Amino acid sequence: MMRQGRSLVVAIVLSWLVVGGVVGPVLSAGAATPGGAGPSVRVAGPNPTLPSGAAVVGPSDASATLSVDVGLKPRDTASLDAFVAAVSTPGSPGYHHYLAPGRFATTFGPDPATIDATRAWLSSSGLRLGSTSPDGLLIPVSGTAGQLERALDVSLVSARLADGRVARFAPERPSVPATLASSVAGVVGLSTVATPQAQLVPTVEGGSSA
């Protein structure tokens, strides 16, 4: 459904703001992506920073297997925003006229050629790819930390947080091929500094919080 597809967009954007905001591309001087993909582009925005009380304790284990998601942008974000506004605004002709299941990809999802090009780049970097999500917005990727560091031009480190937990952290913003810079929304999962927080509080009989 439309709401489910939109939730994925929001999840990508919010998660990406944690590991490095997406504002626009900035050329990485002299950088080139593996597999002959041409010059790379480091996404713009503030550099990721550790929270107060955290400190880097050393490099991340390069042999550790990681799983991340590469997020792609919808093909027409302006039209998507307009649709979301119309479908959720009482009085609008489009109010509650949601997309039928399976229609998000063909209506707002990334162009198939963009998906293919992104998958080809990731595969050429030696990474293992899962099936692209039905809406076309997420490509699951796995590989060693070392492979991801080389593919995305980042250095992964281990950091001890104020509560004693050791987390993985990427001090640099990831890079992508320049030809895909306008299509890739970000990479979710490089950093484990932020942890998911429950937004719903279960209740027990009588209305008290669990």
Side-chain angles (χ1 to χ4, degrees), residues 146-161:
Q147 286 175 314
L148 285 164
E149 286 178 314
R150 290 188 292 272
L152 301 172
D153 190 23
V154 296
S155 299
L156 300 176
V157 299
S158 294
R160 188 176 301 279
L161 307 183

Side-chain angles (χ1 to χ4, degrees), residues 3-17 74 80-81 84 137 188:
R3 285 170 290 185
Q4 184 179 27
R6 179 61 175 173
S7 69
L8 284 173
V9 178
V10 173
I12 291 170
V13 172
L14 292 180
S15 299
W16 185 235
L17 288 175
L80 175 58
D81 289 342
V84 171
L137 296 176
V188 181

